[in-house]
Amino acid sequence: MTLRRYLKLLTLGTLLLGPMSLLAATPTNPAPAAALLRTALLVGDVERSLAFYQLLGFEVESDTQNARNPVTTPFPLNAPSTAVRLVILASRSGRGGKLGLVAFSAPVPPAIRPESAFVGRGDPVLVFDVSDAVALHARLVAAGAKVVESPLVYKSRQTDANGRQMEGRVFHAFDPDGVLIELLEAPKPVSTP
């Protein structure tokens, strides 16, 4: 094989596999490590969203408001908003990640997706570990949250130290801005009557 033909094949392979090669990290060139700091949600009303996430056991860690220059700020917002508020929430349990509630104003950006009872590709699903799905379900229903279903029992393949079957509970709800929330109670031993 000539050098010219080899380079032509190499170029063709690079064109065909170029995007895929970005995904392949090699031991000599490992991908830099990244750590998720928090999930940030762009919300229409911080107080409404704050009330919802407090029902899940989150509390305010910080609350900042700043002016924003829509011309010089690189954040790709679809409105010329001149103010921003960021409320960072942390779980009272001290476990898990943090949640940021971000509200732009003056003017408020329009919603990108219509309100729906369904989710699709590209939509986030936030999964929360809860200690009592049944009690939390009742609490969310009483607060008027948009709850999708009652807690469903799921059987785990795990067994406890005594060999007992484990089962958990899960249900879904939408937050005030239409983000799907999964509330998952970890598997526990099935109690025998």
Side-chain angles (χ1 to χ4, degrees):
M1 176 182 303
T2 67
L3 179 59
R4 174 175 255 148
R5 181 164 163 78
Y6 173 77
L7 291 174
K8 189 174 183 180
L9 287 173
L10 182 62
T11 303
L12 180 60
T14 303
L15 290 174
L16 293 174
L17 299 175
M20 297 297 284
S21 66
L22 294 175
L23 300 176
T26 63
T28 58
N29 187 17
L36 182 64
L37 297 175
R38 66 177 167 268
T39 297
L41 301 173
L42 275 60
V43 301
D45 181 335
V46 170
E47 298 305 324
R48 181 181 67 172
S49 294
L50 180 57
F52 176 84
Y53 287 103
Q54 285 174 327
L55 289 170
L56 302 183
F58 281 81
E59 56 190 18
V60 175
E61 182 177 274
S62 67
D63 187 344
T64 58
Q65 297 184 51
N66 294 301
R68 175 182 185 271
N69 183 335
V71 176
T72 61
T73 303
F75 193 91
L77 188 66
N78 65 338
S81 302
T82 59
V84 62
R85 180 177 176 193
L86 170 62
V87 177
I88 297 178
L89 305 175
S91 173
R92 281 194 301 268
S93 73
R95 296 180 307 122
K98 295 181 182 181
L99 191 60
L101 305 177
V102 185
F104 291 95
S105 58
V108 173
I112 294 294
R113 58 186 169 86
E115 189 171 324
S116 173
F118 301 98
V119 294
R121 189 179 72 210
D123 288 332
V125 178
L126 303 181
V127 181
F128 293 92
D129 178 28
V130 301
S131 60
D132 187 340
V134 173
L136 182 56
H137 179 270
R139 194 172 179 188
L140 290 176
V141 168
K146 189 175 177 181
V147 176
V148 175
E149 79 273 295
S150 295
L152 304 168
V153 173
Y154 68 92
K155 301 230 183 264
S156 171
R157 293 182 183 175
Q158 299 171 322
T159 57
D160 70 2
N162 298 322
R164 292 182 298 174
Q165 173 91 37
M166 308 264 285
E167 66 182 28
R169 288 183 168 53
V170 62
F171 74 98
H172 298 85
F174 286 96
D175 86 348
D177 289 284
V179 174
L180 184 64
I181 308 297
E182 182 172 285
L183 301 135
L184 182 68
E185 181 182 331
K188 298 175 182 159
V190 176
S191 54
T192 53

